[in-house]
Structure formats: structure tokens, C-alpha cells
Amino acid sequence: MAYLIALAGKGGTGKTSVAALTVRYLTEKRKGPVLAVDADSNACLNEALGISVHTTIGTYEKSPLKR
């Protein structure tokens, strides 16, 4: 079963921290894939998760899809 979880609120309220904890919980307990999208202009969810970003959605937006 798929779930959609969205976090919103004012700046500095801990949304990134809650998102990172939620992603960690889901990957450890549910043992399934998780797609986490950080739409913040100052995106740092990857840092909170301790992973590096190899590509972004913006990369795909700027380049045409090859078929």
C-alpha cells in the first residue's frame, strides 16, 4: 500500500528533521523503497539523512527526456 505524506509549515519549525526521521523509520521498519522529495529552495534533506545527491528533479526538468 502506498502512502503520501506531506509536511508544511513556517520556517524553522523542524520540518526537515521530522521528514528525515520519518524516512529513516519507514526504510528501517517497512523495509521498502521511499521516495523523499525536498521542495525547499534551500534543500538539505539529504544532509539530514547523511546521503549525497547525485541528480535532482530540476536536472530532468531542464533536459528533454530521451525515448
Side-chain angles (χ1 to χ4, degrees), residues 10-22:
K10 291 184 176 188
T13 59
K15 296 178 298 294
T16 299
S17 297
V18 171
L21 290 169
T22 302

Side-chain angles (χ1 to χ4, degrees), residues 12-53:
T13 59
K15 296 178 298 294
T16 299
S17 297
V18 171
L21 290 169
T22 302
V23 168
R24 285 186 186 270
Y25 174 82
L26 292 174
T27 56
E28 291 173 6
K29 301 296 181 185
R30 304 285 179 154
K31 306 247 189 261
V34 173
L35 172 62
V37 177
D38 189 349
D40 193 336
S41 59
N42 184 23
C44 62
L45 180 59
N46 65 302
E47 293 173 13
L49 291 170
I51 58 175
S52 59
V53 174

